[in-house]
Amino acid sequence: MSQRQVLQGVISLLRPLLLDVVPTIQQTAALALGRLAYFNDDLAEAVVKEDILPQLVCSLSEQNRFYKKAAAFVLRAVGKHSPQLAQAIVECGALEALVICLEDFDPGVKEGAAWALGYIARHNSELSQAVVDAGAVPLLVLCIQEPEIALKRIAASTLSDISKHSPELAQTVVDAGAIAYLAQMILNPDAKLKCQVLSALSQIAKHSVDLAELVVEAEIFPVVLTCMKDSDEYVKKNGATLIREIAKHSPELSQFIVNAGGVAAVIDCIGSCKGTVRLPGIMMLGYVAAHSENLSMAVIVSKGIPPLCTCLLEEHEDHIKAAAAWALGQIGRHTPEHARAVAETNVLGTLLSMYMDIRSSEDLQLKAKRALKNILQKCTYLPALEPLLHDAPPNIMKHIVGQFSKVLPHDSKARRLFVTSGGLKKVQEIKAEPGSLLQEYINTINNCYPEEVVRYYSPGYSEMLLERVENYQPVL
Amino acid sequence: MAALVRLETRLSRLREEYFLKNRSVDEDRKIVYKAAVKIQSWFRGCRVRAYLRYLNKMAISIQKWWRGYQSRRYFRKMIKTAYFIMKMNFYNEMAVRIQKRWRGYYVRKYTHNYYALKKYLEAISLNNEIVRNELQEYAEMNEKKKKKKDLEKKEKEKKYKARKMHYLLSTEQIAGIYNSPFRKFPDPMELLLRQSKPLSHRQQQPKSPFTYDLYDWPTCKRPPAFPTGEPLPPIGRQKPQGPFRDAAEVLRQRYKPLEPTLRVAASISSPLEKAREEMKREEWRKCIHDNEFLPFSSYHKNEKYELSIHASEKIGKETYGIKHFREVQPNKWIAGKVENLFSSRRTDISHKMLAYVSDEEEKQPAKKRFTFYFISWSTY
């Protein structure tokens, strides 16, 4: 017998037990169904097809609290697998019954109902909207205020799932007054609760400037910074996500975060974690630096560049490296001062190697190239540019040579250094089409030096000299 | 006559001379004419030329003056514009200087204040230091708390273990396992055992099925314990001891009627006051009207008889089916005719009643009825 037939057989056996006289049997049958459906999505589909759901929904409003818990568990198990199954649950009218369960006295029933609603709302925004239309949000906000920690966790995660899809849904959640309670719960010592609360706040704040400002007005700073020092990694990650979502909207919000010392906390957090946990922190630094040069300078002053460089070198995942490259590009692109600060850490070579590496993903290559270009266009720190002369591909080379051609005409010491370090020789070896920008830059550089020196360093000079020796008529 | 002969001889020559003269004249005529024409034309030409020259000179002079005048005007205009341009250039120069200074000042002070930026960045790094320190302290505090919790838990476990294994305590004769005679001093476990109270055989309280671990029930990892109802009391529970009173005696005691003392039973106020109050109540009950008794019939002479309410209406039952049960017959009312009633015994109250009634005459009939009652009360 195929697995599907086995499953259907199981369901047809369990189904009459749901209608049994003895309540314990009903509850245990519901529990069994729930567990089966939780781990197997075929079974979940079979549960839907066999029309068990309407029965469950009816009895959800009548029976005692253990049955309600088991029925809510079944609904959650079915709804978690795919949007179609969740849609089927919504169509058989389960949402109203679940919302009624949210008003029950027993916290376990509330938890089960809230969890089921959360799993349904997770999939897409139509289902979220259906959950909101059933009137779940005010009851969830009430659930958050209950003393049981598990209930608070589940209610927070459900609110997070509802508000993540669209700004209107987030606004609905905000209108129910959720932000104040969520902000209070950041102080709670339980790590998983903090995770959910931070995730809910970040889903609300991510949609628009107004929502982010509302979240900030709930006085989460500087309390959120203590989350960045929590021992649990996911709390750190969600805290960094929240700060990132707030910082990315406008320069004023970034300024506020910088003034509250958020940059230092995030930098420490990046330094202490490994892996994907770092990613929101890196992106936050990038967003803050992107807004204006003062903020970028603030990031530099807070010693933000060394952790980013270590990220770039140590991490194995390409997307984290790409994020670090992007962030460095945003920091260094404003003025020569910023570019110098970035270049002094010798990270340009790493960026170049990442760009040239065939194994890096396209995203990483693109971001590395852009970052490199942006930094190079402002970089006047020649000792950092010189090593790049030797390896760079032509499209990068023209920026490097361009920078040299801007700096060398004015600085005699730099000219000397350029010659002694072999840079001039390298420049002569570059082949450029006449009339291109690169050729112009090369000409500008050549004009900085006397004729003989240029000729001395041009390729093939030793052969030329030897030829002259050969053709020389000795003066007797 | 000689002259005539001479004339005649000259006559033949005359004709020749005359002819020759005329012929020469005729022959010279063309030349002379042409010469005359030439001379005349030349002269006319000279004259005209002189005239033209003159005209020319005049024209030149006019034009000279005119052009001079125009140029001077133009020149003046040019000077004016040049002056104006010079002035404007000067002003522009000055304005540039002012704007240069102002823009430099403004940018340096407001747009890109280098020193303020520097201070700001220094303040940020200071603030960052503070924040970092505080966060570090917070993290350390958390760690300490965690460690403390762990330590306490371990201690608790140790103590519990010691309590459970109290029988391993060493005695005078037999040294326990933790108190080996070869050791210099007993094991710390031995000391713990000495301190701990032995654990009794009392049953542990069964874990209530209503409390559940976080995540257990909803994820259904632990089987739910469905309670069957109120837990039964354990068998063989000790009954409460002691000699008991007889049940009847107890009930008698419980339901004994109240026997208040005389002081409690008697009321607060004295009999005299009570009697007085009693009298007053009786009087109030019996009082019908306040009018004093006038003995002689002469006092009652001008008294007018007042119709009672019942008399002023139709006697008997109303026919069934009418909408209201108080039929209104305005012509029978005496409210409007109040003044006639109060002839001799008019009091102040009735005056007011009068006034009230006359004011309210326009209002609904029910009100009038009410006033009528009022009046009838006052006349008694």
Side-chain angles (χ1 to χ4, degrees), chain B residues 59-221:
Chain B
I60 283 174
S61 144
I62 292 173
Q63 283 176 10
K64 182 170 76 177
W65 276 102
W66 176 249
R67 280 179 190 173
Y69 168 71
Q70 284 291 85
S71 317
R72 270 188 290 282
R73 245 182 62 182
Y74 178 67
F75 175 70
R76 261 181 243 127
K77 209 188 268 184
M78 244 175 51
I79 288 250
K80 263 200 199 143
T81 48
Y83 171 68
F84 181 74
I85 289 172
M86 242 172 53
K87 215 165 59 164
M88 287 314 287
N89 280 348
F90 177 73
Y91 287 163
N92 283 349
E93 273 284 301
M94 296 303 118
V96 162
R97 282 192 205 175
I98 295 172
Q99 284 175 15
K100 185 168 76 170
R101 292 279 180 145
W102 165 252
R103 281 179 194 181
Y105 163 76
Y106 187 78
V107 161
R108 271 189 287 278
K109 183 145 182 199
Y110 295 106
T111 313
H112 182 69
N113 190 345
Y114 175 73
Y115 297 104
L117 186 66
K118 198 162 143 186
K119 250 200 283 187
Y120 172 69
L121 289 171
E122 277 170 18
I124 290 227
S125 24
L126 251 172
N127 192 21
N128 283 348
E129 280 303 313
I130 294 173
V131 165
R132 279 190 172 124
N133 283 344
E134 280 181 8
L135 286 178
Q136 188 68 27
E137 275 175 33
Y138 172 79
E140 277 170 15
M141 200 178 70
N142 267 2
E143 277 212 33
K144 272 191 208 157
K145 262 194 214 161
K146 211 170 148 193
K147 270 193 201 152
K148 198 170 145 198
K149 244 170 93 179
D150 283 335
L151 272 173
E152 271 177 6
K153 203 170 163 194
K154 275 197 197 134
E155 281 290 322
K156 207 169 149 197
E157 269 188 37
K158 264 195 188 164
K159 282 198 177 138
Y160 181 68
K161 252 176 90 178
R163 283 187 75 189
K164 271 179 94 167
M165 298 196 297
H166 72 96
Y167 51 84
L168 294 174
L169 186 66
S170 58
T171 56
E172 283 281 325
Q173 295 295 325
I174 307 176
I177 51 171
Y178 292 115
N179 194 6
S180 160
F182 302 113
R183 290 172 70 105
K184 279 196 218 151
F185 41 80
D187 199 70
M189 194 62 183
E190 174 68 28
L191 298 166
L192 254 178
L193 283 171
R194 283 186 199 163
Q195 282 170 1
S196 55
K197 201 171 88 170
L199 201 62
S200 63
H201 287 294
R202 195 166 42 97
Q203 295 277 5
Q204 290 278 354
Q205 267 176 348
K207 206 165 172 201
S208 164
F210 305 109
T211 63
Y212 48 86
D213 259 345
L214 315 164
Y215 280 116
D216 260 352
W217 207 148
T219 49
C220 298
K221 286 196 182 117

Side-chain angles (χ1 to χ4, degrees), chain B residues 30-44:
Chain B
K30 230 184 191 173
I31 298 167
V32 168
Y33 174 74
K34 278 193 186 158
V37 163
K38 202 170 219 168
I39 291 168
Q40 279 178 20
S41 69
W42 190 266
F43 179 71
R44 284 196 185 148

Side-chain angles (χ1 to χ4, degrees), chain A residues 81-141:
Chain A
H81 294 286
S82 81
Q84 289 81 23
L85 289 169
Q87 186 65 37
I89 294 184
V90 170
E91 273 161 17
C92 65
L95 286 180
E96 285 78 23
L98 284 171
V99 166
I100 293 174
C101 281
L102 271 179
E103 292 175 313
D104 201 274
F105 291 113
D106 185 55
V109 173
K110 282 197 252 205
E111 203 181 316
W115 213 337
L117 286 170
Y119 273 38
I120 293 174
R122 195 173 282 193
H123 295 287
N124 61 32
S125 66
E126 283 86 26
L127 289 164
S128 269
Q129 189 62 48
V131 169
V132 168
D133 289 336
V137 175
L139 294 166
L140 284 169
V141 173

Side-chain angles (χ1 to χ4, degrees), chain A residues 143-253:
Chain A
C143 282
I144 280 195
Q145 303 165 40
E146 297 274 335
E148 290 84 17
I149 295 223
L151 182 54
K152 282 200 226 243
R153 258 188 235 153
I154 307 295
S157 95
T158 309
L159 284 173
S160 156
D161 286 330
I162 290 176
S163 45
K164 78 180 179 193
H165 297 286
S166 85
E168 292 82 25
L169 290 163
Q171 188 65 45
T172 325
V173 171
V174 167
D175 288 337
I179 292 191
Y181 299 113
L182 289 171
Q184 279 170 4
M185 290 203 289
I186 296 183
L187 295 162
N188 199 300
D190 185 52
K192 291 205 181 105
L193 176 61
K194 268 199 265 209
C195 247
Q196 298 295 346
V197 164
L198 290 170
S199 137
L201 284 171
S202 62
Q203 302 290 6
I204 293 175
K206 80 178 182 191
H207 294 288
S208 80
V209 186
D210 300 313
L211 288 167
E213 279 177 4
L214 275 172
V215 172
V216 166
E217 273 166 26
E219 291 178 24
I220 50 173
F221 287 98
V223 177
V224 157
L225 303 180
T226 56
C227 298
M228 309 294 288
K229 274 284 184 186
D230 202 275
S231 42
D232 190 75
E233 283 203 335
Y234 287 101
V235 174
K236 283 196 224 181
K237 181 173 178 197
N238 283 0
T241 315
L242 173 60
I243 302 184
R244 173 191 81 190
E245 299 298 351
I246 295 178
K248 81 178 186 196
H249 289 292
S250 82
E252 289 81 21
L253 284 168

Side-chain angles (χ1 to χ4, degrees), chain B residues 221-233:
Chain B
K221 286 196 182 117
R222 195 168 57 89
F226 304 110
T228 46
E230 199 70 36
L232 295 166

